[in-house]
Amino acid sequence: MSLQEDKSQVSNSTNIVHIDGSQGEGGGQILRVALSASLITQISVRIENIRANRPTPGLSKQHLEVVRVCEQLGGIVDENYQVGTCTITFRPTGKNLSELSELPVNINSAGSITLVLQAIVPVLTFRGKQPIDIYLRGGTNVSHSPPIQFFRDVLSNYLKRMGLNIETNIKHYGF
């Protein structure tokens, strides 16, 4: 069975993928991957128990920004969401990203910008060859997340081998 056939069977057999955000380590990675995958596959996703295994469950400022940016990239969230929200339903709209030339991202805290990049870079790889400027404001070196130097010096070099050219200009480290 081809990937296209498999994708059409999934989208025809269910309208939405349900994800329990408390599974595994129960952190924000589930949210970032789910939203990114939803935008790439154009399959809706409902995530419950977001960050349930964290001292402060639900969306943090960093996760709010991930959701907001994913909405800019072509999705809508059914519910109102804020810091502490534990369930969201995300629906991709099929938005054409070919005209997107700038994407401002402001976490409004020291939350990790590299974790936000984990959600949006895969989506942007499928949008075409046009350059895009992403302006990030947040934490560059946050514990328990890849530092910006890893993104710039390691991950970007691997992505370049796959045809994705990323230039990283850091104006200020920290937050």
Side-chain angles (χ1 to χ4, degrees):
M1 180 180 294
S2 74
L3 180 61
Q4 187 61 33
E5 290 169 335
D6 191 32
K7 180 181 170 185
S8 67
Q9 279 190 336
V10 170
S11 60
N12 289 336
S13 65
T14 182
N15 293 332
I16 192 163
V17 173
H18 292 268
I19 297 176
D20 181 352
S22 70
Q23 294 300 303
E25 51 90 30
Q29 189 66 19
I30 295 170
L31 174 77
R32 290 186 294 274
V33 170
L35 295 180
S36 183
S38 177
L39 286 168
I40 292 168
T41 63
Q42 294 295 292
I43 298 172
S44 298
V45 63
R46 180 174 176 83
I47 310 162
E48 299 174 339
N49 303 314
I50 296 170
R51 298 181 65 244
N53 296 341
R54 293 295 183 245
T56 307
L59 298 173
S60 69
K61 285 183 179 181
Q62 170 185 307
H63 303 100
L64 288 177
E65 189 62 10
V66 168
V67 175
R68 189 192 70 74
V69 170
C70 287
E71 286 180 307
Q72 284 187 312
L73 294 175
I76 57 171
V77 176
D78 288 355
E79 306 84 4
N80 290 326
Y81 59 92
Q82 61 189 7
V83 170
T85 296
C86 293
T87 300
I88 64 167
T89 305
F90 184 83
R91 300 183 190 280
T93 63
K95 178 180 179 179
N96 182 348
L97 299 178
S98 63
E99 299 298 318
L100 185 65
S101 61
E102 282 189 358
L103 186 62
V105 179
N106 187 351
I107 298 171
N108 293 309
S109 75
S112 173
I113 60 175
T114 57
L115 293 181
V116 174
L117 285 167
Q118 284 181 353
I120 62 176
V121 167
V123 175
L124 295 175
T125 61
F126 289 95
R127 64 175 285 281
K129 300 287 183 192
Q130 302 85 357
I132 181 169
D133 292 323
I134 304 172
Y135 300 97
L136 297 152
R137 183 176 171 92
T140 59
N141 297 71
V142 178
S143 60
H144 306 294
S145 64
I148 193 64
Q149 295 88 339
F150 173 81
F151 181 83
R152 180 192 63 204
D153 300 336
V154 179
L155 184 58
S156 293
N157 285 326
Y158 281 105
L159 294 172
K160 187 174 186 173
R161 291 180 186 177
M162 294 185 272
L164 183 63
N165 294 313
I166 297 176
E167 274 186 43
T168 305
N169 299 310
I170 303 164
K171 291 188 176 183
H172 177 71
Y173 288 94
F175 170 68

